[in-house]
């Protein structure tokens, strides 16, 4: 027999682009699904500082404007 307990789950409701401050919500389907969030912890020797947390949230327009030169974009397999 399985027994259950109540559990509170949080989900992201709004993502604000750190560059242009565009607010993206799940209702804004295209921008919501195309946003880019990066979050990681730098290791020993990181140029940001040993063990620092690094994160950024960008809308798709800012991803293109900041990283576009280096993005490898190929057609999907559909
Ligand atoms: Zn943006």
């Amino acid at each position: 027999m399985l027994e259950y307990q109540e559990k509170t789950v949080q989900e992201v409701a709004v993502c604000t682009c750190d560059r242009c401050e565009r607010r993206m919500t799940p209702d804004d389907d295209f921008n919501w699904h195309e946003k880019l969030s990066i979050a990681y912890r730098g290791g020993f020797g990181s140029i940001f500082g040993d063990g620092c947390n690094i994160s950024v949230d960008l809308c798709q327009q800012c991803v293109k404007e900041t990283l576009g030169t280096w993005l490898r974009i190929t057609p999907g397999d559909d």
Side-chain angles (χ1 to χ4, degrees):
M1 181 171 97
L2 300 177
E3 295 182 22
Y4 296 89
Q5 64 183 2
E6 294 289 328
K7 181 178 178 182
T8 301
V9 178
Q10 291 190 326
E11 65 180 6
V12 178
V14 176
C15 177
T16 302
C17 177
D18 289 317
R19 182 171 181 251
C20 74
E21 299 183 348
R22 175 193 301 264
R23 282 176 51 89
M24 298 167 283
T25 66
D27 296 334
D28 179 12
D29 206 35
F30 292 116
N31 285 310
W32 180 257
H33 291 291
E34 299 302 323
K35 67 186 180 329
L36 175 68
S37 294
I38 298 172
Y40 66 98
R41 184 169 186 185
F44 179 73
S46 168
I47 62 171
F48 301 107
D50 293 345
C52 285
N53 295 307
I54 300 114
S55 64
V56 68
D57 299 305
L58 295 171
C59 70
Q60 62 178 326
Q61 288 80 10
C62 286
V63 169
K64 183 176 182 182
E65 290 175 15
T66 58
L67 301 175
T69 300
W70 301 281
L71 293 173
R72 292 180 293 275
I73 302 168
T74 58
D77 293 333
D78 297 351

